[in-house]
Amino acid sequence: MPLSAAERDLLITRAGGCCELCGATTELAAHAVSPRPGDSAEETILTCRTCRDALTDSSVPDHRWRCLTESAWSQVPTVQVIAWRLLEGLSEEDWARDLLDQLYLDEETLAWVHAKPEAEANSDSETATGHKDTFGAPLNVGDTVTLIKDLKVKGANFTAKRGTAVRNISLVIDNPEQIEGRVNDQRIVILTEFVKKTT
């Protein structure tokens, strides 16, 4: 649901007319912070087009989010939620892990970080017993996994290297031994026995 004019003004004023993640001042728009509906300033963040695109594209290079070294310290809960989620997805990066270790969120905001949309939560509960990583940890939609061996990608001219982080995975609904994720800008199917869930 789009913000009302009053709520949009509140959001722009709170953000100081800048992207609340990177500080850019062009092509700004509200971005709802799931699983909230995003119909108020308290449930959205102001983002530039580059950050909005990056939030929905798992192939974005890790260094794109270096801006979090400043914005993660925001006192705005919605910004804290997005920053925390992004840093968790970047946990293979030393700078992101160190930053996450320094941050503190109150219980309500931390619960929001890990809350999932109802439809996704239902999907997770149906498939959690089926999709598991090589160590038996349940895999859920949106998780980040790490490859535990080099994988030659069929139909492509590259090998997905051991240690590669695959973010924002999807579950192959009818096959609990397969997930999908983006590697080298290509969406590929990966066997769950070759991945380790990143915590």
Side-chain angles (χ1 to χ4, degrees), residues 42-186:
E42 286 79 21
E43 296 178 349
T44 57
I45 61 172
L46 192 65
T47 56
C48 64
R49 178 182 293 279
T50 304
C51 283
R52 282 195 306 282
D53 291 346
L55 286 169
T56 58
D57 184 356
S58 60
S59 67
V60 171
D62 295 344
H63 61 77
R64 169 69 187 89
W65 294 119
R66 285 280 186 165
C67 58
L68 296 175
T69 55
E70 292 187 21
S71 54
W73 297 102
S74 171
Q75 296 303 301
V76 179
T78 46
V79 179
Q80 294 173 342
V81 168
I82 291 290
W84 191 283
R85 288 175 179 170
L86 288 168
L87 290 169
E88 282 188 333
L90 295 167
S91 61
E92 296 295 314
E93 300 290 323
D94 289 341
W95 68 268
R97 194 167 51 249
D98 291 345
L99 180 56
L100 200 54
D101 287 343
Q102 297 173 51
L103 297 176
Y104 168 81
L105 298 184
D106 60 45
E107 288 184 19
E108 183 180 349
T109 306
L110 196 56
W112 187 358
V113 167
H114 297 294
K116 295 185 177 181
E118 187 175 337
E120 185 178 313
N122 290 341
S123 171
D124 289 350
S125 65
E126 291 169 5
T127 58
T129 57
H131 289 78
K132 295 181 180 179
D133 74 359
T134 191
F135 298 109
L139 295 173
N140 300 311
V141 174
D143 280 347
T144 296
V145 298
T146 303
L147 301 182
I148 62 169
K149 66 172 288 186
D150 290 354
L151 301 175
K152 186 163 179 61
V153 180
K154 293 179 182 178
N157 294 323
F158 73 91
T159 297
K161 295 294 188 182
R162 178 176 182 242
T164 298
V166 183
R167 296 179 177 79
N168 198 24
I169 64 167
S170 302
L171 306 181
V172 176
I173 299 302
D174 57 353
N175 190 336
E177 296 180 355
Q178 294 181 341
I179 60 172
E180 291 185 359
R182 191 175 288 277
V183 178
N184 287 4
D185 291 330
Q186 292 193 39

Side-chain angles (χ1 to χ4, degrees), residues 134 146-149 151 190-196:
T134 191
T146 303
L147 301 182
I148 62 169
K149 66 172 288 186
L151 301 175
I190 307 167
L191 294 178
T192 55
E193 65 182 294
F194 298 136
V195 303
K196 175 182 71 172

